[in-house]
Amino acid sequence: MSAVLAFLPAAPLAGWAAHAAFLAGRLRLAHTDPLTGLPTRAAFTARAHRAIRHPHAAVLLLDLNGLKYVNDQFGHSAGDQLLAAFGQRLAQWTEQHGGIAGRLGGDEFAVVVRLAPDADLHAELTDGLAADLAQRLDLDEAVLSPRAAIGVCLAGHRPGTPLTVRLRAADEAMYRAKRGGHRWQAAGRPDTFRSVNGRRIGRTGTHHTPSHGQDTAA
């Protein structure tokens, strides 16, 4: 094979190599969000299906607060810088917890990390993730403190369920956190169901507020 290659013109070989590099670059761009450097929705989902097989896999949904306000008040350049910094900080925290993060689109992000069933969620999410994300961000136009509403579905909240179920549980918890002005909210066990007004109804039909963890935003 090497003897055959030796007789081939150098220019075509160089052209093929350049074309291969170009295709590889396009493939990386297709799987990576160019603004945050995080995997895109499709790339994250493909990896997350494998990641949730770990017995301590937790799924998080995050919604970045105030992006529209930043875009409207300071311009989309400032909004892009906010998204980029948020993605980088989220990626760093996720890597420290043996997981993966992805940008689903707009101001929504998803994470799969390893959190033990008895993990101190206040320490992990309030003192850890939320504090890391909220570090001061100095832009030309403004000084920001990025914040997000976070929903978390621990492995024990939906044991043995597929990714779609865990993402849905984390998504609902995230919206409860956003409506309640909390930094984060846990999905809780599936023995209760969310009603239309955001409260939860037990199997007996009795209304009660969520008993799982949460933390109020400052």
Side-chain angles (χ1 to χ4, degrees):
M1 183 67 173
S2 60
V4 174
L5 291 177
F7 288 100
L8 290 176
L13 287 177
W16 293 336
H19 184 63
F22 172 77
L23 292 178
R26 291 292 299 271
L27 185 61
R28 284 194 298 272
L29 287 175
H31 292 136
T32 303
D33 173 49
L35 190 58
T36 64
L38 296 175
T40 59
R41 177 188 289 269
F44 168 82
T45 301
R47 295 177 60 186
H49 279 298
R50 298 189 295 270
I52 63 168
R53 297 173 188 169
H54 192 278
H56 294 164
V59 176
L60 283 69
L61 260 292
L62 301 92
D63 187 87
L64 175 61
N65 294 334
L67 178 61
K68 184 178 186 303
Y69 172 82
V70 172
N71 284 333
D72 291 345
Q73 293 295 315
F74 308 111
H76 285 272
S77 175
D80 288 349
Q81 292 177 69
L82 172 60
L83 282 167
F86 185 88
Q88 292 165 7
R89 294 172 182 180
L90 181 61
Q92 184 175 13
W93 182 87
T94 302
E95 290 170 3
Q96 294 170 353
H97 290 75
I100 56 171
R103 184 184 180 195
L104 302 185
D107 53 7
E108 291 191 341
F109 298 78
V111 167
V112 177
V113 291
R114 297 175 185 177
L115 294 177
D118 59 350
D120 183 344
L121 292 184
H122 179 82
E124 294 287 359
L125 300 181
T126 304
D127 300 334
L129 177 57
D132 289 349
L133 294 176
Q135 292 178 26
R136 177 186 172 117
L137 177 62
D138 292 306
L139 306 179
D140 293 337
E141 301 85 354
V143 177
L144 305 176
S145 179
R147 295 183 182 275
I150 305 168
V152 55
C153 178
L154 298 176
H157 292 159
R158 302 293 186 275
T161 56
L163 177 64
T164 53
V165 173
R166 302 191 200 190
L167 284 170
R168 174 65 180 272
D171 185 58
E172 291 179 349
M174 182 266 289
Y175 275 104
R176 288 198 302 274
K178 182 177 285 289
R179 286 195 300 269
H182 305 301
R183 291 188 181 92
W184 60 270
Q185 186 112 30
R189 304 259 179 194
D191 57 348
T192 54
F193 299 97
R194 185 171 63 85
S195 70
V196 293
N197 64 358
R199 295 166 65 94
R200 296 178 71 84
I201 304 176
R203 293 188 186 277
T204 61
T206 303
H207 286 271
H208 61 91
T209 56
S211 60
H212 45 273
Q214 62 186 33
D215 184 47
T216 303

